[in-house]
Amino acid sequence: MSTSITRRTTAAALGLATALVLAACSNPDDGGTTEVAATSGSKTKINISPDQDRITTDKVDSIAAEVPEEIRKRGTLEIVDSSGSAAPLTFFATDNKTVIGVEPDIASLVADVLGLELHINTVSWENIFVGLDSAKYDVGFSNITVTEERKEKYDFATYREDNLGFEAKKGSGLKVTGPEDVAGRTVAVGSGTNQEKLLIEWSKENEKAGRKPVNIKYYQNDSDTYLALQSGRIDLYLGPNPTAAYHAATTGKTEVVGTYSGAGATLQGLIAATTKKDSGLVKPLADALNEIIDNGTYAQVLERWGLSDEAVTKSGINPPGLPKTNK
């Protein structure tokens, strides 16, 4: 899914639109909901309680038959997601233990099509890949970006666009459109993420151009990151744009000051269901995703979480991803 610089700019604009779509306020008096502005200009409520009443769909026998026999006999789809994710991607409901968000909702629809019971395993980011490598888990649904490096070990079935967001303290006056805007800045990022890879490449690019490198910082959790942002110990936080926009809208303390494709300057980044290479699962995953795209339940899920702007029209298998060297 190669694109031009124009497409990247469009993606950035859509990312900023998402920030507006996610303008939200908590409403604890009506069972745990968050109210968000829909793209139509109306308002919709996101259910953040443990009683999710997820959107469901029917099993498709022809697609279910494609699932490897071992998994079919077991009867469960073992998905894995990251405990470090945040709303509206993957996060804990108001009971602080039930995993909710757009990622588990899409995974649930896929499991429905495959005729399997969904079993969610929430681990640290690095243990997603450890678990996939050992076949402890079948598939990762955790805002995982397709990258050329990851494609050497994993197969991908795409289901969302991937846009990154630079978050700054509200009123900072910062704007980020490219490497020169982060030269000499202190920027926090998650270890082992494609955001980190992009930031490291930008830092190297700055040094080659005679500018200062990026001072990259890592924190154990989001609360530490945002405390550092508010106290001025970091200038920016680079993460998934949906979470940055959601956090900015719900707290009123930060703002998204720039967006970028998760695959770099010339390619639209894509988020994908991730499975161990040659596990036999990638085709049924893609077929299941295309089934829910076609039957409309996929669009319902994205709308439910305020992420309609990140929709794809088709799930692809192992498309071009973030290059090993982002130039």
Side-chain angles (χ1 to χ4, degrees):
M1 192 172 177
S2 183
T3 56
S4 65
I5 292 290
T6 301
R7 178 58 194 273
R8 176 184 63 82
T9 304
T10 301
L14 287 176
L16 290 173
T18 301
L20 298 177
V21 169
L22 287 171
C25 59
S26 180
N27 189 348
D29 296 328
D30 57 3
T33 64
T34 293
E35 193 173 68
V36 298
T39 51
S40 63
S42 61
K43 290 187 177 181
T44 187
K45 288 183 178 180
I46 289 178
N47 176 13
I48 57 174
S49 78
D51 301 318
Q52 280 294 287
D53 190 25
R54 283 194 173 109
I55 296 164
T56 62
T57 194
D58 293 330
K59 177 184 178 182
V60 178
D61 290 336
S62 59
I63 301 176
E66 298 172 357
V67 175
E69 184 179 5
E70 180 183 353
I71 297 175
R72 279 189 281 119
K73 285 184 176 179
R74 185 210 305 151
T76 62
L77 184 66
E78 297 291 333
I79 77 147
V80 60
D81 59 25
S82 172
S83 57
S85 295
L89 300 175
T90 302
F91 62 112
F92 290 111
T94 50
D95 64 353
N96 292 318
K97 62 180 181 180
T98 303
V99 178
I100 64 174
V102 69
E103 304 282 20
D105 273 14
I106 292 176
S108 180
L109 287 176
V110 167
D112 284 347
V113 173
L114 300 180
L116 299 170
E117 180 183 349
L118 181 70
H119 187 198
I120 300 174
N121 303 272
T122 301
V123 301
S124 61
W125 172 257
E126 65 275 9
N127 280 321
I128 290 176
F129 301 97
V130 172
L132 291 173
D133 291 345
S134 66
K136 183 177 182 180
Y137 311 121
D138 300 320
V139 54
F141 277 90
S142 193
N143 203 58
I144 301 172
T145 302
V146 180
T147 74
E148 290 304 307
E149 184 176 6
R150 288 173 183 163
K151 280 166 62 178
E152 294 177 356
K153 294 181 66 176
Y154 308 101
D155 285 323
F156 294 92
T158 58
Y159 62 87
R160 268 188 28 249
E161 288 192 351
D162 173 35
N163 295 309
L164 311 180
F166 287 89
E167 194 173 0
K169 188 175 180 179
K170 195 166 186 177
S172 69
L174 297 175
K175 294 294 179 185
V176 179
T177 60
E180 64 278 5
D181 297 317
V182 295
R185 297 288 183 187
T186 302
V187 185
V189 73
S191 177
T193 62
N194 71 304
Q195 297 98 286
E196 178 194 33
K197 180 177 173 60
L198 181 71
L199 196 59
I200 289 172
E201 292 292 341
W202 276 19
S203 186
K204 291 177 180 177
E205 190 173 330
N206 281 330
E207 289 189 276
K208 287 180 181 178
R211 297 186 292 261
K212 292 181 179 179
V214 181
N215 182 16
I216 302 174
K217 295 291 186 182
Y218 302 92
Y219 294 92
Q220 289 296 315
N221 52 59
D222 287 343
S223 60
D224 290 342
T225 302
Y226 288 123
L227 183 61
L229 194 61
Q230 286 302 310
S231 66
R233 285 182 283 131
I234 60 174
D235 299 306
L236 296 157
Y237 171 43
L238 175 59
N241 186 59
T243 62
Y246 191 96
H247 178 263
T250 54
T251 66
K253 295 180 179 180
T254 62
E255 59 186 344
V256 177
V257 297
T259 59
Y260 207 78
S261 165
T266 60
L267 189 68
Q268 173 59 56
L270 293 169
I271 300 298
T274 306
T275 186
K276 187 176 181 179
K277 198 159 196 69
D278 300 323
S279 69
L281 257 181
V282 72
K283 186 178 186 301
L285 287 171
D287 288 346
L289 286 162
N290 281 319
E291 169 65 21
I292 64 173
I293 289 170
D294 291 342
N295 71 23
T297 53
Y298 165 80
Q300 291 176 46
V301 164
L302 291 189
E303 184 177 5
R304 180 187 188 198
W305 295 103
L307 295 178
S308 297
D309 284 338
E310 296 198 349
V312 295
T313 58
K314 183 178 180 180
S315 176
I317 295 175
N318 294 331
L322 176 66
K324 289 185 178 181
T325 301
N326 182 40
K327 292 182 178 179

